[in-house]
Amino acid sequence: MPLNVSVIDDDKIIRTILERIIKAMAFEDYELNLEVFEDGLQFFETRRLEAEGEHLLIIDGVMPIMDGMEVLQKVKKIGVWGNIHVLMLTGRKNKLDIERALKHGADDYMTKPFSIKELQARIERLIKRMK
């Protein structure tokens, strides 16, 4: 089954780090389909959510054009929420931001700077919950 992982972050260094981390991980029951996007608008223009399989979105909270909360809210409106899982990875540490993201459907929330090992563990946990 396809596992569509989409990294949506305006920081090229973060996108590269996440791409390397995810490509190095083993996904037993899934065929990895990884794409990276500079912003939410670019992500939605590709119609990626229409791809068959499970979706894991790793979304930065602070981006120009369309921020992470806007991406999260738009994804939720699309209505295929059952196979979409979201990890917010953001510099926003405010409790209200965290609360708001979780209320709007984020499955997990992690702040930057982040531990690579912790990020891997959180991604693995989200993927195990998809089964």
Side-chain angles (χ1 to χ4, degrees):
M1 173 185 285
L3 173 60
N4 303 292
V5 178
S6 302
V7 173
I8 308 166
D9 197 307
D10 62 320
D11 186 325
K12 184 172 177 44
I13 294 168
I14 298 289
R15 286 195 311 270
T16 303
I17 290 169
L18 290 171
E19 204 171 6
R20 287 184 184 153
I21 290 169
I22 293 163
K23 283 181 178 176
M25 294 173 74
F27 302 103
E28 295 167 15
D29 299 330
Y30 295 102
E31 179 186 322
L32 179 64
N33 176 3
L34 172 66
E35 285 191 41
V36 296
F37 303 92
E38 289 180 33
D39 59 61
L41 191 60
Q42 186 187 62
F43 168 74
F44 286 112
E45 285 174 348
T46 66
R47 305 177 73 88
R48 181 144 168 90
L49 290 177
E50 294 175 13
E52 198 173 304
E54 295 289 332
H55 290 266
L56 173 61
L57 311 182
I58 301 174
I59 306 172
D60 180 20
V62 183
M63 295 182 286
I65 303 171
M66 183 184 284
D67 78 8
M69 281 306 300
E70 291 172 307
V71 173
L72 184 60
Q73 289 170 326
K74 188 168 180 176
V75 165
K76 194 166 185 179
K77 283 180 188 169
I78 290 172
V80 289
W81 199 241
N83 68 333
I84 301 172
H85 311 274
V86 176
L87 169 63
M88 295 296 291
L89 182 63
T90 175
R92 289 185 174 158
K93 295 173 170 69
N94 182 311
K95 288 183 193 238
L96 291 174
D97 290 324
I98 296 168
E99 208 176 283
R100 199 166 135 227
L102 294 171
K103 274 186 182 174
H104 282 90
D107 296 280
D108 202 352
Y109 194 102
M110 195 169 169
T111 57
K112 296 176 184 175
F114 57 89
S115 147
I116 290 175
K117 294 284 185 202
E118 181 183 351
L119 179 64
Q120 284 176 314
R122 287 174 182 261
I123 290 171
E124 286 168 3
R125 189 190 65 186
L126 281 172
I127 291 168
K128 281 180 185 167
R129 291 194 331 210
M130 292 179 190
K131 297 177 187 176

